[in-house]
Amino acid sequence: AAVPRPAPPGRGWPGRALPPLTSTFFATAAIPYHREVATASDGDLWPAAWADDGALYAANGDGRGFSDQPWSDIVVNRVDGTPATGITGVRLAAGDQVAPIWGDPARFNRKPTGMVAVDGDGDGRDELYLAVQDLRHGEGAFDEAPAATIVRSTDYGRTWQWGAAPMFTGHVFTTVFFLDFGQSNSGAAVLGPENAGYVYAYALDRNWRDSFSGVVADPLDLWLARVPVSAVTDRSAWRFFAGLDGDRPVWSDDLDARVAVLHDERRVYPGVVTPDGNSVLSQGCVVYNPALARYLYLSWTEHTFEFYEAPAPWGPWRLFLHKDFGPYPWWGEDPGSPGPKSGGYATVAPSKFMSADGRELWVQANWFVGVGHPPNTYQFSLRRLRLEPYTPTEPANPRDPGRNLARAEPGAVVTDTTSHYGHDHYLADGRTDLSEDSWNGAAKDVDRWGYTWPHAVHLNRLVYTTGQMFPDGGWFDAAGGGPRVQVRREHTWHDVTGLAVDPPYPHDDTAGPFRTFTFSFDDTWGDGVRLIGRPGGSARFTSVAELEVYYG
């Protein structure tokens, strides 16, 4: 039976084309629509650092942390274990024990934004450094961050010290998150002896994400700074990235001389939360992946993940994953849920949980408001990010009319506009009676369902079984000749030639539910294939039950 679709907050807000994935480094990148690991914790944000004692230290906002102790606006925790072995934690300090509130406590509270562990004083033991900002609450809650500082702990998070004034003020450089260079900042050695003795930090101006009420302008730039490991809390020792001299970074003590390492003006979901849509640069994390020699910036919006990669801390940064979770409600794991599905904010991927080959990371992303069914995800909540670097390959699969490459060829990753209920696995589960659709309330100009692989394949047939039809959508319309098939070669999508559809596709609701259409085309090859076209109906979405790929 069809699951009822929630009413959107507005009728058919403007759709915008999916952003081009400008990165060519990865062949595939995949992250699920829901968490895979839950923990006995309470709170959000969770910036983390891997210290020399083997533990992960993480700070949460607005919660009890790993405890049943009273709520606090900031809590520091020690986290032990791994996603494979199980994760436990203990609360170490909270509230006034961790950091001050610099502004009016009636208008601002404190939020953790970044953490790093490094032995800066040379005593053989790491200190912990935690970036904490004043974030607005009450009227205009969460919409401006005017001040921030770095607090320091020499006893692994139990006690904290700070200066007499905030280190950053005037809404400038006030959402700080440190570059995660692995345990004890040891990965900084990759930058060479002259650059290894520093802690590197990124920041946003004005706010930690889009300022929904417009109290301040939205952050559109990502900034970079560094500071000697011995002087992290000394504001005068900070130097800001001021561009490149050839391929060498230039550092300046003048904030006005700084140059953004990433500028992105994209917007998502215009008219839903804000009239112009949400900006895409937000408080997340930057983590170095040593096995792949890549830096990853994991950002988010109210409804999407926006993940970037770069060959150096200063860039160039390129988008490699855009994941659309759709509007609320999102759903938990209870038996009555049509999900599970939930996006999240404050995307943090601790280096401690990265696989040795760099192809698997665990991303923390929690959410609270908008989850329609329990349990909620307002906790240290993890899901896997799987990455496969791109390498040119030659297709080797034999001609076999019965071998479904979506199921039989290793490494297939679903590529979709969005999966409304989070069931993207329906496309290749071998069943033609389970329906997913791309409804997200937007009047989309284009929809797509398909796969990418970490290697090239031969192919010449796509078998599409529709999903449920609705009065306001579920089919492709006739614009541009109706749905067409594309293959991906060297990161560029190409229309196939010789396309024929059996039976003819009707371009309206008579396409019917759970009906199969075979798209045949000339022999071709690529490392991705998709069915693409303009979605039909007043709500402009399509549905799918199964999508098979063959070389017959």
Side-chain angles (χ1 to χ4, degrees):
V3 179
R5 290 179 293 107
R11 284 189 60 82
W13 57 80
R16 297 194 178 182
L18 287 181
L21 300 182
T22 54
S23 170
T24 58
F25 186 79
F26 294 112
T28 62
I31 195 166
Y33 276 100
H34 56 87
R35 71 176 179 190
E36 297 173 281
V37 173
T39 63
S41 59
D42 176 64
D44 64 358
L45 304 180
W46 302 101
W50 184 14
D52 63 318
D53 63 352
L56 187 73
Y57 292 88
N60 67 270
D62 288 353
R64 300 186 303 273
F66 280 85
S67 78
D68 57 3
Q69 298 177 49
W71 176 96
S72 178
D73 60 354
I74 189 168
V75 178
V76 175
N77 309 268
R78 174 185 167 120
V79 181
D80 291 294
T82 69
T85 63
I87 290 175
T88 60
V90 59
R91 172 166 158 164
L92 302 174
D96 292 338
Q97 299 171 327
V98 178
I101 299 173
W102 301 105
D104 179 359
R107 297 180 59 227
F108 298 96
N109 61 6
R110 66 209 127 198
K111 293 283 189 177
T113 62
M115 186 183 285
V116 66
V118 66
D119 180 12
D121 59 12
D123 67 352
R125 302 169 71 246
D126 281 353
E127 304 91 59
L128 300 181
Y129 296 93
L130 177 64
V132 183
Q133 70 180 188
D134 279 11
L135 188 64
R136 187 162 173 166
H137 68 80
E139 184 179 357
F142 315 127
D143 282 357
E144 65 165 324
T149 203
I150 313 296
V151 298
R152 178 175 185 259
S153 174
T154 59
D155 57 5
Y156 297 102
R158 291 165 180 79
T159 62
W160 295 85
Q161 306 84 41
W162 53 86
M167 292 172 59
F168 301 100
T169 59
H171 298 88
V172 176
F173 215 82
T174 52
T175 298
V176 180
F177 40 101
F178 296 101
L179 170 48
D180 184 347
F181 255 133
Q183 188 173 19
S184 304
N185 201 50
S186 58
V190 73
L191 297 177
E194 71 277 16
N195 297 311
Y198 294 86
V199 163
Y200 292 78
Y202 295 87
L204 306 173
D205 291 349
R206 299 182 292 275
N207 202 31
W208 66 304
R209 47 95 166 127
D210 186 291
S211 179
F212 294 169
S213 62
V215 174
V216 294
D218 301 330
L220 303 179
D221 295 290
L222 182 69
W223 309 99
L224 173 64
R226 74 178 190 181
V227 62
V229 297
S230 60
V232 177
T233 57
D234 179 358
R235 172 63 183 81
S236 67
W238 283 63
R239 298 294 181 266
F240 302 91
F241 177 75
L244 293 172
D245 180 6
D247 60 356
R248 295 175 61 85
V250 176
W251 304 96
S252 173
D253 61 357
D254 182 1
L255 262 173
D256 293 335
R258 64 188 174 145
V259 172
V261 296
L262 172 62
H263 176 81
D264 198 331
E265 298 182 6
R266 287 185 299 119
R267 300 278 175 168
V268 302
Y269 283 86
V272 180
V273 179
T274 64
D276 60 348
N278 289 4
S279 54
V280 297
L281 301 187
S282 303
Q283 174 189 331
C285 77
V286 177
V287 59
Y288 177 60
N289 188 323
L292 304 183
R294 230 60 186 172
Y295 297 82
L296 307 178
Y297 169 37
L298 309 185
S299 186
W300 54 277
T301 72
E302 192 80 353
H303 303 287
T304 67
F305 286 169
E306 309 286 341
F307 291 177
Y308 305 80
E309 59 82 14
W314 35 88
W317 292 95
R318 296 186 173 95
L319 187 71
F320 74 86
L321 180 66
H322 166 88
K323 184 83 168 182
D324 186 345
F325 294 93
Y328 317 128
W330 293 337
W331 301 287
E333 298 107 345
D334 67 299
S337 166
K341 187 182 80 167
S342 63
Y345 59 93
T347 38
V348 175
S351 57
K352 182 180 178 180
F353 300 153
M354 188 184 304
S355 64
D357 65 3
R359 285 167 164 79
E360 181 178 284
L361 295 86
W362 287 87
V363 179
Q364 193 292 131
N366 47 263
W367 196 257
F368 183 72
V369 177
V371 174
H373 296 266
N376 69 48
T377 61
Y378 197 69
Q379 58 185 224
F380 190 71
S381 175
L382 299 169
R383 65 189 78 190
R384 266 174 288 213
L385 171 62
R386 293 184 174 93
L387 304 170
E388 287 293 338
Y390 172 73
T391 301
T393 58
E394 295 292 332
N397 57 302
R399 195 180 294 273
D400 184 344
R403 185 173 185 261
N404 179 4
L405 305 181
R407 291 168 59 83
E409 199 68 25
V413 170
V414 170
T415 175
D416 57 359
T417 307
T418 185
S419 290
H420 181 186
Y421 304 106
H423 301 313
D424 53 348
H425 62 282
Y426 282 2
L427 273 70
D429 64 358
R431 298 181 59 174
T432 56
D433 61 336
L434 298 175
S435 179
E436 183 55 276
D437 64 68
S438 66
W439 180 88
N440 63 358
K444 296 185 289 296
D445 292 328
V446 67
D447 238 352
R448 67 212 76 193
W449 301 101
Y451 304 98
T452 56
W453 291 271
H455 55 268
V457 296
H458 292 292
L459 64 163
N460 59 13
R461 182 161 46 103
L462 194 67
V463 180
Y464 166 51
T465 301
T466 63
Q468 182 67 42
M469 294 290 133
F470 298 86
D472 56 356
W475 60 90
F476 289 96
D477 73 13
R484 63 192 191 278
V485 176
Q486 294 182 328
V487 294
R488 188 182 72 169
R489 290 191 294 271
E490 296 179 343
H491 300 279
T492 300
W493 291 94
H494 307 268
D495 287 342
V496 299
T497 60
L499 183 64
V501 187
D502 183 28
Y505 189 82
H507 306 117
D508 56 28
D509 60 353
T510 62
F514 307 106
R515 186 179 175 196
T516 298
F517 298 87
T518 298
F519 292 74
S520 301
F521 42 91
D522 295 335
D523 286 1
T524 187
W525 65 274
D527 60 3
V529 65
R530 65 188 185 185
L531 186 68
I532 182 170
R534 193 174 79 167
S538 60
R540 302 283 285 277
F541 68 95
T542 59
S543 66
V544 62
E546 194 78 0
L547 191 68
E548 303 162 74
V549 186
Y550 296 97
Y551 179 51

